[in-house]
C-alpha cells in the first residue's frame, strides 16, 4: 500500500464483478423498457386510428344533418315538376 494503491487486486476484482452484475441488470431493464415502449407505440397508433375514424363518422353525420334537408327539398321539387 505504500505505492499509492487504494484497493487490493481482490477488492478491484470484487468491484468489477459487482459492476458487471449491475450492468447485466441494467441491460435487462433496458430490454424490458424497449419492449414496453414498442407496445405503447402500437397502442398510440391504434388510438390515433380510432380517433380518426370517430372524427370521420362525426363529420359525415354533421354533413348529412346540414345538407340532408336541401337534398330532400331538391328531390321533392323534381318529383313535383314531373
Amino acid at each position: 500500500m505504500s505505492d499509492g494503491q487504494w484497493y487490493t487486486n481482490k477488492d478491484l476484482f470484487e468491484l468489477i464483478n459487482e459492476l458487471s452484475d449491475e450492468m447485466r441488470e441494467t441491460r435487462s431493464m433496458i430490454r424490458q423498457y424497449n419492449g414496453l415502449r414498442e407496445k405503447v407505440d402500437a397502442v398510440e397508433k391504434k388510438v390515433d386510428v380510432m380517433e380518426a375514424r370517430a372524427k370521420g363518422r362525426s363529420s359525415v353525420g354533421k354533413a348529412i344533418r346540414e345538407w340532408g334537408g336541401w337534398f330532400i327539398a331538391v328531390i321533392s321539387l323534381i318529383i313535383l315538376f314531373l
Side-chain angles (χ1 to χ4, degrees):
M1 292 261 177
S2 62
D3 60 349
Q5 192 177 15
W6 295 348
Y7 297 102
T8 64
N9 286 338
K10 180 182 175 185
D11 292 337
L12 290 173
F13 179 77
E14 289 173 357
L15 287 172
I16 290 171
N17 279 338
E18 288 176 19
L19 284 175
S20 68
D21 290 340
E22 288 179 21
M23 289 298 292
R24 195 172 303 119
E25 290 175 22
T26 303
R27 283 189 209 109
S28 172
M29 288 181 188
I30 289 171
R31 267 189 239 109
Q32 289 174 353
Y33 171 80
N34 286 339
L36 289 174
R37 187 70 212 159
E38 289 171 0
K39 289 179 183 178
V40 167
D41 289 342
V43 169
E44 283 180 347
K45 287 179 185 177
K46 287 180 182 179
V47 168
D48 289 342
V49 168
M50 290 170 42
E51 287 177 347
R53 284 183 184 164
K55 187 176 179 181
R57 286 183 186 141
S58 173
S59 66
V60 167
K62 184 179 176 184
I64 289 172
R65 282 191 310 271
E66 290 177 355
W67 292 98
W70 285 101
F71 181 70
I72 292 173
V74 168
I75 291 177
S76 298
L77 186 64
I78 292 171
I79 291 174
L80 286 174
F81 282 134
L82 293 176

